[in-house]
Amino acid sequence: MDYVLSIVVPMYNADNKLGVCVDSLVRLSADEAFQEVLGQRAFEVLFVDDKSTDNTYATLAEFCDGRNNWSLYQTATNSGSPSKPRNIGIENAQGEYIFFLDGDDEIDPVGITAGIASALRNGHDLVRGSVVVNYWGERRAVVDRLKATDDLSVRDMIVAIANGQSLNCSALWKWELLDRHQFRFDPETRMGEDLVFTAAAMISAASIGYVDYPMFHYTRQIGGGDSAMHYYSGRELRELVTSWQRVEDSFAERSLSYLELHGDRTINYALRLVIRNLDTKRVNDQDLKYFASFFTKHKDTLRDITFTDPHVHDLVQVLSEGELRAIKEELKPRLLIAGHDLKFIKPSIPLLRKRFQVQIDEWQTEIVFTEKHSEKWLAWADYIWVEWLTAASVWYSERVRPTQKFVVRVHRYELGRSYGDQIKRDAVSAFITIAPHCMEDLIERFEFDRGRVRYIPNFYFIDSYKKANPRNEDRLFKLAIIGAVPQRKGYLKALQLLAKLRETDDRYSLTVMGKSYKELSWVAGDPLEQAYFASCDSFIEKNDLTHSVQNLGWVNTYESVHEYAFVLSTSEHEGSHVGPGEAFCAGNQGVFLPWRGVEYVYPETSVFDDIDAMAAYILSMRNLEDFNKAAISGQEYMLNNYDIDLFIDRVDKLFRSV
């Protein structure tokens, strides 16, 4: 059959998303304007499956069955990139022109019809068009449009394309051009293989056309994906600059420089991806030296390019200088931590700095801050982490750039405020909650999109706690409560628990850590709080607990919690309640009354229905062997769920995924 056009479609594990592509090809087959341009001739579709592990091949076989102009090929083994499948398509194509379409994109019949008409009318070696980008669930845009006419010289057309378009390979290519020069995709290269192919073939073209219509539609997924462009090891860094150099060499044949024409966009885009997706564990010094050598070689050209991203600008300068230590630091994403009260996040910063460059914008109060300081670090940042859903989060939401990733960590306090109603929601990549029940509360309170809410629990420096002596039996009778104010902390219940325990064994005592209500002026101004703590004092006196209750004030829990077998959580409600978790870290136990959500935060075996059940458990733990066994289990639970290293990994993965 005499084919005008061969459409080559590589596929890999696309069974759940190939419908859009296939449907567009079916529509093209029925398009009257397209058929009119073809005349008595035809077009063909060549699917090439890259040895998928799902049902892609079987599904495509069904589509091809009964369609004489649709054929299906498969690689012997998975090649890991579209290059080999595209080459198979070139080798088997019978059309006068070839168009490369990705398996999750869709052909545009209007653009393809206009392109084929121009190609046949003028005998072009290459015809390019614009592209429709569908930002999934957000918007639609037409990109890569040119101000180009058919009377431009080939060189001027190359300049126009390089200036105004990305060098994707989805264009109409004359098969004779590809065959004469044996242009093929490099199957060993996964980064920039389409740039290399397009540059080499375009530079060799004797005639280039352009139609001001999109030839295909590309859907940009939210949250990245698992394609090669979203993962960078040493191999990808080497391939990236090798591809750039090959493109630069191709353009030099026409006395042109791709870097001068398109370097700002190509390098800006690629380095942003490198910064966010580099696997530093799989990059060695030689990889970095090779990567930097490209920038050193072209530093004069790069110096004249204005990079819109400030981090990319600084990284290019550092790469051009070639100093490894500076390169390693500048390759880290820039993380800005902001908010009015950073006590919960600050302890993690030294470890965060191993993965990120970190700066801090700490507001003096919830609403008092230095705007110039905040604006400076906002301009610097790749990622912004704001503690508390308060005024700082609203301020940042109104100013973040589309290329920045912005998250807000929400604690329980903000549910009673209105800032969640004021924040610019579309600017927020994710709202972070510290416990599963807090996640549900946040969604219910502000009606946030569930897809924007993530759970990252609080962290503990478990190895930093002084550990309990497993042979110390005296500690079994020591209880502690860390923070007894305000009344929702349940101090009175803790006293009731102590009284109940002492009915059986008078060795039990209770130590209160943190400020006493008498030291807090706001309690004196709150009649309900004042009455509550007066009743606590009365209970102590009435039950002869004066010598069994000790108030220590502020203490360093890392150094002291190991002395107390049980740290109590007798609260009415909590977000995650850190104090009892510290007991597990030190080799002791936290015990909890059933505040909402506690069973999702701590071991269910440590949660009790009431004071009586809690007392019975504590009394059953007077055997040192039984106690230590339970304590070890609790410590393992903390290590597996809340260790600081897990938190750092979760933050890293969060910013890579949003």
Side-chain angles (χ1 to χ4, degrees):
M1 188 175 289
D2 183 14
Y3 291 121
V4 176
L5 173 65
S6 299
I7 300 177
V8 176
V9 190
M11 292 277 191
Y12 177 68
N13 283 358
D15 189 44
N16 64 343
K17 58 182 178 180
L18 57 76
V20 171
C21 176
V22 171
D23 289 348
S24 73
L25 293 168
V26 172
R27 289 195 300 273
L28 181 65
S29 300
D31 188 85
E32 293 182 3
F34 181 63
Q35 293 297 332
E36 184 177 342
V37 169
L38 294 181
Q40 298 302 310
R41 303 172 72 186
F43 85 106
E44 65 171 344
V45 177
L46 299 90
F47 295 107
V48 186
D49 177 57
D50 196 17
K51 202 63 176 180
S52 294
T53 58
D54 65 1
N55 292 322
T56 296
Y57 185 84
T59 301
L60 290 173
E62 291 182 16
F63 281 120
C64 292
D65 187 34
R67 292 185 170 93
N68 294 330
N69 62 326
W70 286 27
S71 55
L72 174 61
Y73 302 85
Q74 188 178 51
T75 58
T77 59
N78 175 250
S79 67
S81 83
S83 294
K84 187 173 182 179
R86 286 171 180 160
N87 290 341
I88 291 173
I90 294 172
E91 297 295 337
N92 290 279
Q94 300 178 58
E96 185 176 348
Y97 286 90
I98 293 178
F99 187 87
F100 299 106
L101 181 70
D102 284 346
D104 52 358
D105 294 339
E106 57 182 306
I107 204 81
D108 189 303
V110 175
I112 285 294
T113 300
I116 282 293
S118 175
L120 295 175
R121 183 173 60 250
N122 300 294
H124 291 313
D125 286 332
L126 162 64
V127 179
R128 294 184 68 86
S130 56
V131 181
V132 171
V133 180
N134 295 309
Y135 295 86
W136 188 259
E138 295 181 358
R139 58 190 173 91
R140 178 180 181 273
V142 179
V143 301
D144 283 3
R145 294 187 68 186
L146 302 178
K147 293 181 179 178
T149 59
D150 282 339
D151 60 355
L152 287 180
S153 67
V154 171
R155 188 178 189 278
D156 287 345
M157 187 66 80
I158 291 171
V159 170
I161 291 169
N163 261 321
Q165 293 189 331
S166 58
L167 293 191
N168 64 72
C169 63
S170 293
L172 288 166
W173 299 96
K174 200 168 192 177
W175 185 88
E176 192 273 334
L177 170 72
L178 305 185
D179 183 61
R180 181 173 71 250
H181 295 280
Q182 283 299 293
F183 288 129
R184 298 294 186 270
F185 294 88
D186 182 358
E188 299 303 315
T189 300
R190 295 180 294 183
M191 301 300 300
E193 82 289 340
D194 51 344
L195 269 70
V196 173
F197 174 90
T198 300
M202 182 172 65
I203 292 298
S204 300
S207 176
I208 300 176
Y210 169 77
V211 293
D212 196 21
Y213 297 97
M215 291 187 179
F216 71 103
H217 296 208
Y218 162 68
T219 297
R220 185 172 181 177
Q221 302 289 342
I222 300 299
D226 59 359
S227 69
M229 67 182 291
H230 292 106
Y231 174 81
Y232 290 83
S233 67
R235 170 179 171 169
E236 282 73 31
L237 291 186
R238 288 174 176 269
E239 288 181 354
L240 192 61
V241 294
T242 298
S243 295
W244 287 344
Q245 187 58 56
R246 291 172 68 183
V247 172
E248 191 70 3
D249 292 342
S250 292
F251 271 70
E253 295 177 23
R254 296 270 187 171
S255 300
L256 296 170
S257 168
Y258 181 67
L259 280 178
E260 291 179 358
L261 294 169
H262 202 86
D264 58 337
R265 282 154 289 178
T266 294
I267 291 177
N268 209 69
Y269 177 73
L271 289 189
R272 281 207 307 265
L273 287 175
V274 169
I275 289 165
R276 291 187 172 129
N277 299 287
L278 185 63
D279 184 350
T280 56
K281 295 177 182 177
R282 298 191 63 187
V283 178
N284 59 41
D285 287 355
Q286 293 307 310
D287 295 328
L288 292 178
K289 287 178 182 178
Y290 187 89
F291 188 60
S293 66
F294 174 85
F295 295 87
T296 303
K297 178 179 180 179
H298 297 286
K299 62 182 178 182
D300 291 338
T301 300
L302 294 168
R303 189 182 298 118
D304 294 331
I305 296 175
T306 300
F307 294 101
T308 55
D309 188 295
H311 192 176
V312 170
H313 174 274
D314 294 345
L315 178 56
V316 168
Q317 182 175 341
V318 168
L319 286 165
S320 300
E321 294 166 356
E323 204 280 306
L324 278 180
R325 181 179 295 181
I327 291 171
K328 290 177 182 178
E329 184 63 21
E330 203 58 63
L331 279 168
K332 296 177 183 177
R334 292 174 169 180
L335 172 62
L336 174 62
I337 295 174
H340 74 282
D341 178 5
L342 304 180
K343 63 177 177 290
F344 293 117
I345 190 69
K346 272 187 176 179
S348 70
I349 290 176
L351 285 179
L352 285 170
R353 285 199 165 113
K354 293 183 178 181
R355 306 274 187 98
F356 307 93
Q357 300 178 64
V358 180
Q359 291 293 342
I360 299 172
D361 175 25
E362 186 161 15
W363 290 25
Q364 294 95 309
T365 70
E366 192 172 301
I367 59 173
V368 176
F369 70 110
T370 304
E371 190 160 14
K372 286 187 177 180
H373 179 84
S374 298
E375 288 173 344
K376 171 187 174 182
W377 293 121
L378 171 61
W380 170 87
D382 300 314
Y383 307 149
I384 300 119
W385 174 292
V386 174
E387 281 282 288
W388 309 98
L389 179 55
T390 52
S393 64
V394 175
W395 187 90
Y396 274 99
S397 74
E398 294 169 347
R399 292 164 176 82
V400 294
R401 302 189 302 271
T403 56
Q404 294 173 312
K405 303 300 181 184
F406 170 47
V407 304
V408 180
R409 183 157 73 157
V410 186
H411 303 262
R412 191 181 177 283
Y413 162 79
E414 299 97 299
L415 299 179
R417 311 300 297 280
S418 63
Y419 291 106
D421 298 313
Q422 302 171 33
I423 197 166
K424 186 179 177 183
R425 300 182 184 202
D426 289 345
V428 182
S429 303
F431 293 97
I432 310 303
T433 61
I434 59 173
H437 62 287
C438 296
M439 183 175 179
E440 297 304 321
D441 290 343
L442 181 67
I443 293 169
E444 181 180 351
R445 167 63 179 85
F446 295 112
E447 298 183 348
F448 287 155
D449 178 1
R450 185 174 291 274
R452 288 186 191 268
V453 182
R454 308 291 181 86
Y455 163 49
I456 296 182
N458 281 324
F459 57 84
Y460 294 81
F461 290 86
I462 294 173
D463 290 340
S464 298
Y465 285 87
K466 187 173 182 179
K467 299 300 187 284
N469 180 352
R471 295 183 296 276
N472 178 8
E473 189 172 4
D474 290 342
R475 79 185 198 281
L476 300 184
F477 304 95
K478 293 182 178 180
L479 315 180
I481 184 169
I482 303 174
V485 183
Q487 64 172 302
R488 67 175 176 81
K489 291 292 184 179
Y491 179 43
L492 182 57
K493 290 180 180 178
L495 294 172
Q496 291 168 346
L497 172 67
L498 175 64
K500 186 168 290 293
L501 290 170
R502 286 179 61 82
E503 289 175 4
T504 301
D505 194 324
D506 63 8
R507 288 178 291 177
Y508 284 102
S509 65
L510 174 66
T511 296
V512 182
M513 302 179 190
K515 287 186 176 181
S516 165
Y517 76 92
K518 297 176 182 178
E519 300 176 75
L520 299 169
S521 58
W522 66 267
V523 174
D526 187 324
L528 291 177
E529 291 285 334
Q530 196 172 22
Y532 175 82
F533 286 104
S535 70
C536 291
D537 289 342
S538 176
F539 185 89
I540 290 172
E541 184 176 351
K542 182 178 178 179
N543 290 274
D544 196 22
L545 299 178
T546 304
H547 300 294
S548 303
V549 177
Q550 180 183 19
N551 287 275
L552 290 186
W554 183 90
V555 297
N556 182 345
T557 52
Y558 285 93
E559 293 293 329
S560 59
V561 172
H562 73 283
E563 298 177 8
Y564 303 93
F566 299 97
V567 174
L568 312 179
S569 178
T570 51
S571 301
E572 296 173 4
H573 44 77
E574 291 282 356
S576 63
H577 206 179
V578 171
E582 294 185 284
F584 288 124
C585 295
N588 288 315
Q589 296 188 49
V591 286
F592 306 83
L593 288 181
W595 41 266
R596 179 173 173 270
V598 63
E599 68 275 17
Y600 299 113
V601 181
Y602 290 110
E604 290 189 52
T605 53
S606 300
V607 181
F608 304 95
D609 290 337
D610 51 36
I611 291 296
D612 289 341
M614 185 180 284
Y617 176 77
I618 293 173
L619 289 169
S620 74
M621 287 283 114
R622 286 178 290 179
N623 178 287
L624 195 57
E625 183 178 348
D626 292 341
F627 178 88
N628 287 334
K629 183 178 179 180
I632 290 170
S633 177
Q635 191 174 71
E636 289 174 351
Y637 183 91
M638 299 299 291
L639 279 167
N640 292 332
N641 290 279
Y642 302 125
D643 188 62
I644 180 62
D645 289 337
L646 293 175
F647 177 79
I648 302 300
D649 285 341
R650 287 161 178 158
V651 172
D652 193 5
K653 290 176 182 176
L654 168 72
F655 281 115
R656 290 176 187 269
S657 68
V658 293

